[in-house]
């Protein structure tokens, strides 16, 4: 459902955007806002109202093993009925697919992209600047105006908008803690509330299950950005809410404390020795075979794993344990990073804009989240209920294409959640209580600013990953921590802080 890419803030020139919005009348663009009574003809007979012209759009999206793309998904039938647009979905075959499609000279009309893709290829001329076409997308325009936080994430320093982001289903992107509550109950173990308690509980479980690695995670060194909020930081550069300034998390005492804990877990074999390269298949094997009992993973995996566990085994959401500071958090990640870009070479611009405007409309949100009454759901006691054919959220994706890549703009997450059981609904409700005050993202930079720090940033990132890995695995003793920080600073950390502070100050100025 997600690719691991660096999240970045997209800045907004709200003054420019507000001016564009204010300068457009309510009758501009297409869609419901433009409807009016037809003018009578000379003979007094009303002229027929023409529907939208038929069009076919090519849409490049990713391919998911969990819900392989089907050309006959119901979502495309519903889109055709409402817009007279036929979507021909093309799928990526690898990480190079996007670049190859752009370089081929035969670009699809629409692309599913992450923000870094838009920030890279948009200024190069591959994607349209959608800020110039908002008048033709009244629903998109109204949504952007209603959500300044969303607008910040898609708008570049100069006011350009090269991509739209999906919105509404981001709750599934949260990484949370969960544990084997059946095992804890069997051995009368309380749910850990601190990292000290996680450590003590892991030791007890190791004694009970010697072949196990009680604590498990699968995102390698990248996992530290998910652990960080329990220690009051994100590992790298982020806005410190207390000061409003860019902070380098590595220098915080909480970050050092986190590394010390992980070193202790590794040394005592409480986490797998191959934690750095753990993949999803291996992670699943540990979870389903009594080899691990506490983990951090995407929230939807609680439900997925519970359908695979047998013999009374069961996973339950766990509040994030406190590692350092006064309150434990999980990353604020209930946001979506995937979205849409429009080819600058499309010959079907009006249709592409019409499609985007529909999927960001209230009607499109409802239809592409719930489907059609009598076909996918029925109403009982005033509430919608999916037909018995659909038993779990993934069924909607696999069978109908609902909430799959490219098939929605806005989502009603309650539709998917309605098929989850009480345990999973509890997980989503609880997770929302622990969001870190800021997202793990940075303000956007201009092309010149990015170029000026590219080499420095690459050096700092590589040194950070290599050095912290060595501390966790014991190759470098913690007594060398101050030397590590000094060496990091020599690589140009302050230059990066200063540059991102310029971007942050600009973002705040433009948002007033």
């Amino acid at each position: 459902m997600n690719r691991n890419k660096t999240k970045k803030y997209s800045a907004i020139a709200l003054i420019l955007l507000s001016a564009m919005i204010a300068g457009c009348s309510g009758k501009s663009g297409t869609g419901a806002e433009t409807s009016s009574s037809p003018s009578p003809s000379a003979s007094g007979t009303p002229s027929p109202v023409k529907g939208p012209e038929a069009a076919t759009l090519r849409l490049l999206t990713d391919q998911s093993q969990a819900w392989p793309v089907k050309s006959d998904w119901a979502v495309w039938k519903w889109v055709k009925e409402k817009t007279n647009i036929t979507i021909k979905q093309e799928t990526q075959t690898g990480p190079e697919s996007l670049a190859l499609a752009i370089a081929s000279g035969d670009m699809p009309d629409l692309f599913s992209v992450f923000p870094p893709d838009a920030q890279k290829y948009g200024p190069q001329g591959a994607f349209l600047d959608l800020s110039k076409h908002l008048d033709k997308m009244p629903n998109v325009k109204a949504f952007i105006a209603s959500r300044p936080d969303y607008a910040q994430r898609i708008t570049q320093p100069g006011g350009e908008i090269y991509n739209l982001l999906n919105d509404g289903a981001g709750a599934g992107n949260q990484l949370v803690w969960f544990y084997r509550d059946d095992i804890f109950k069997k051995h009368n173990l309380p749910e850990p509330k601190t990292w000290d308690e996680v450590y003590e509980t892991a030791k007890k479980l190791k004694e009970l299950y010697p072949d196990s690695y009680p604590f498990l995670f699968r995102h390698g060194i990248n996992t530290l950005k998910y652990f960080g909020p329990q220690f009051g930081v994100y590992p790298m550069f982020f806005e410190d809410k207390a000061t409003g300034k860019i902070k380098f998390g590595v220098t915080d005492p909480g970050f050092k404390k986190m590394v010390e804990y992980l070193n202790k877990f590794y040394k005592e074999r409480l986490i797998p020795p191959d934690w750095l390269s753990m993949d999803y298949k291996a992670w699943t094997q540990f979870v389903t075979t009594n080899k691990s009992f506490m983990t951090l993973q995407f929230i939807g995996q609680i439900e997925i794993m519970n359908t695979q566990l047998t013999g009374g085994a069961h996973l339950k959401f766990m509040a994030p344990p406190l590692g350092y500071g006064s309150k434990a958090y999980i990353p604020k990640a209930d946001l979506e990073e995937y979205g849409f870009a429009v080819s600058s070479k499309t010959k079907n611009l009006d249709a592409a804009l019409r499609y985007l405007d529909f999927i960001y409309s209230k009607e499109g949100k409802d239809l592409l989240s719930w489907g059609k009454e009598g076909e996918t759901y029925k109403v009982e006691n005033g509430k919608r209920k999916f037909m018995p054919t659909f038993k779990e959220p993934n069924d909607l994706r696999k069978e109908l294409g609902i909430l799959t890549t490219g098939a929605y703009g806005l989502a009603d997450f309650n539709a998917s959640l309605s098929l989850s059981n009480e345990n999973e609904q509890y997980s989503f409700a609880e997770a929302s209580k622990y969001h870190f005050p800021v997202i793990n993202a940075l303000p956007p930079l201009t092309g010149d600013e990015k170029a000026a720090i590219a080499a420095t940033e690459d050096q700092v990132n590589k040194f950070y990953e290599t050095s912290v890995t060595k501390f966790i695995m014991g190759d470098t003793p913690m007594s060398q921590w101050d030397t590590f920080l000094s060496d990091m600073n020599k690589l140009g950390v302050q230059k990066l802080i200063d540059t991102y502070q310029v971007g942050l100050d600009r973002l705040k100025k433009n948002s007033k």
Side-chain angles (χ1 to χ4, degrees):
M1 154 182 353
N2 293 278
R3 286 188 289 170
N4 285 325
K5 284 207 176 189
T6 305
K7 296 181 180 177
K8 291 185 180 284
Y9 251 135
S10 295
I12 173 170
L14 274 182
I15 296 174
L16 175 61
L17 186 57
S18 298
M20 288 191 294
I21 293 170
C24 299
S25 69
K27 291 186 178 182
S28 63
T30 60
E33 295 181 14
T34 64
S35 62
S36 59
S37 300
S39 301
S41 65
S43 63
T45 302
S47 301
V49 178
K50 292 184 178 180
E53 292 185 8
T56 297
L57 295 175
R58 294 167 56 205
L59 167 64
L60 181 66
T61 66
D62 63 359
Q63 174 71 282
S64 171
Q65 293 181 352
W67 44 85
V69 165
K70 296 180 181 178
S71 60
D72 62 349
W73 268 340
V75 288
W76 303 132
K77 180 188 72 172
W78 301 331
V79 166
K80 177 68 179 292
E81 291 172 352
K82 291 295 183 179
T83 66
N84 208 13
I85 292 171
T86 299
I87 297 293
K88 295 293 185 183
Q89 196 171 7
E90 301 174 5
T91 55
Q92 300 177 12
T93 57
E96 74 289 342
S97 294
L98 178 63
L100 290 175
I102 291 172
S104 69
D106 183 29
M107 295 170 65
D109 302 286
L110 294 166
F111 293 82
S112 292
V113 296
F114 284 99
D117 298 327
Q119 293 164 11
K120 177 179 180 180
Y121 294 111
Q124 294 178 11
F127 301 145
L128 283 182
D129 176 5
L130 296 174
S131 71
K132 298 178 180 179
H133 300 276
L134 291 176
D135 285 348
K136 292 186 178 181
M137 299 185 291
N139 292 304
V140 171
K141 184 179 183 181
F143 177 68
I144 293 175
S146 71
R147 288 279 303 278
D149 62 316
Y150 176 94
Q152 288 180 4
R153 296 172 61 221
I154 63 173
T155 311
Q156 302 302 304
E160 304 89 354
I161 297 176
Y162 294 117
N163 66 306
L164 300 177
L165 293 169
N166 297 333
D167 190 77
N173 291 336
Q174 300 174 103
L175 271 91
V176 302
W177 288 70
F178 44 103
Y179 70 109
R180 281 283 300 276
D181 59 327
D182 62 303
I183 293 292
F184 277 59
K185 191 173 184 179
K186 177 180 178 180
H187 300 291
N188 198 29
L189 297 172
E191 179 182 332
K193 302 297 183 184
T194 67
W195 272 66
D196 277 338
E197 292 178 9
V198 170
Y199 170 69
E200 293 299 332
T201 302
K203 286 206 303 182
K204 291 176 183 177
L205 288 166
K206 185 72 171 179
E207 293 172 3
L208 292 165
Y209 302 89
D211 293 336
S212 73
Y213 296 95
F215 183 31
L216 180 70
F217 49 93
R218 75 165 190 88
H219 298 281
I221 199 69
N222 202 42
T223 313
L224 272 62
K225 72 181 183 183
Y226 307 123
F227 289 147
Q230 289 116 62
F231 296 83
V233 297
Y234 287 122
M236 296 300 280
F237 303 95
F238 68 100
E239 180 189 357
D240 183 350
K241 264 303 187 194
T243 63
K245 300 296 184 181
I246 293 294
K247 180 174 183 175
F248 186 45
V250 172
T251 61
D252 191 272
F255 182 81
K256 180 182 179 183
K257 188 73 174 175
M258 175 173 59
V259 173
E260 288 174 336
Y261 271 116
L262 292 172
N263 171 247
K264 187 159 60 171
F265 279 112
Y266 179 79
K267 195 163 45 178
E268 299 185 31
R269 298 180 68 81
L270 301 176
I271 61 176
D274 58 344
W275 65 273
L276 196 59
S277 58
M278 177 72 60
D279 62 15
Y280 179 71
K281 183 177 180 180
W283 178 86
T284 300
Q285 188 73 10
F286 274 90
V287 172
T288 56
T289 58
N290 279 4
K291 291 294 179 67
S292 288
F293 312 101
M294 296 178 287
T295 190
L296 181 89
Q297 180 56 291
F298 287 107
I299 192 168
Q301 291 295 324
I302 300 176
E303 184 169 12
I304 292 172
M305 288 297 101
N306 275 335
T307 62
Q308 299 180 33
L309 293 172
T310 59
H314 187 263
L315 292 165
K316 185 179 180 180
F317 173 89
M318 180 175 127
L322 178 63
Y324 182 86
S326 59
K327 184 176 179 180
Y329 297 95
I330 60 172
K332 181 171 175 51
D334 57 337
L335 306 166
E336 298 195 64
E337 296 180 52
Y338 230 0
F340 296 89
V342 178
S343 167
S344 61
K345 300 187 182 301
T346 180
K347 297 179 181 178
N348 302 291
L349 178 58
D350 287 344
L353 299 178
R354 191 191 334 148
Y355 175 69
L356 293 178
D357 200 52
F358 173 70
I359 64 175
Y360 283 87
S361 69
K362 291 181 179 179
E363 181 182 21
K365 174 182 178 179
D366 187 74
L367 181 65
L368 297 175
S369 299
W370 288 94
K372 299 174 71 173
E373 184 175 359
E375 183 176 329
T376 58
Y377 70 89
K378 55 186 175 181
V379 178
E380 293 182 354
N381 300 320
K383 293 185 177 181
R384 283 185 279 202
K385 183 178 181 180
F386 281 107
M387 297 298 190
T389 306
F390 310 109
K391 302 185 185 304
E392 57 183 63
N394 271 356
D395 290 343
L396 301 178
R397 295 180 173 89
K398 290 187 294 186
E399 303 304 324
L400 302 172
I402 283 179
L403 300 189
T404 58
T405 307
Y408 73 100
L410 303 182
D412 181 356
F413 190 65
N414 288 324
S416 177
L417 194 59
S418 71
L419 288 175
S420 295
N421 62 34
E422 186 177 343
N423 183 57
E424 275 59 64
Q425 292 181 3
Y426 166 83
S427 301
F428 283 101
E430 287 298 301
S432 65
K433 300 176 183 179
Y434 298 100
H435 290 160
F436 199 60
V438 295
I439 66 174
N440 186 28
L442 286 166
L445 304 176
T446 66
D448 288 344
E449 289 166 347
K450 285 188 285 189
I453 65 168
T456 301
E457 192 164 41
D458 186 55
Q459 283 183 314
V460 167
N461 287 338
K462 288 179 179 178
F463 185 74
Y464 157 80
E465 291 185 1
T466 301
S467 299
V468 171
T469 298
K470 288 181 178 180
F471 278 118
I472 293 173
M473 300 179 80
D475 296 333
T476 303
M478 292 302 299
S479 60
Q480 295 295 310
W481 188 259
D482 289 343
T483 301
F484 157 65
L485 294 182
S486 176
D487 290 342
M488 287 281 284
N489 285 327
K490 291 175 183 177
L491 290 174
V493 167
Q494 191 59 49
K495 178 181 180 181
L496 300 181
I497 292 174
D498 293 342
T499 302
Y500 280 114
Q501 190 65 50
V502 168
L504 181 61
D505 291 342
R506 179 173 54 227
L507 171 67
K508 291 179 177 181
K509 179 181 178 181
N510 290 337
S511 298
K512 290 180 180 178

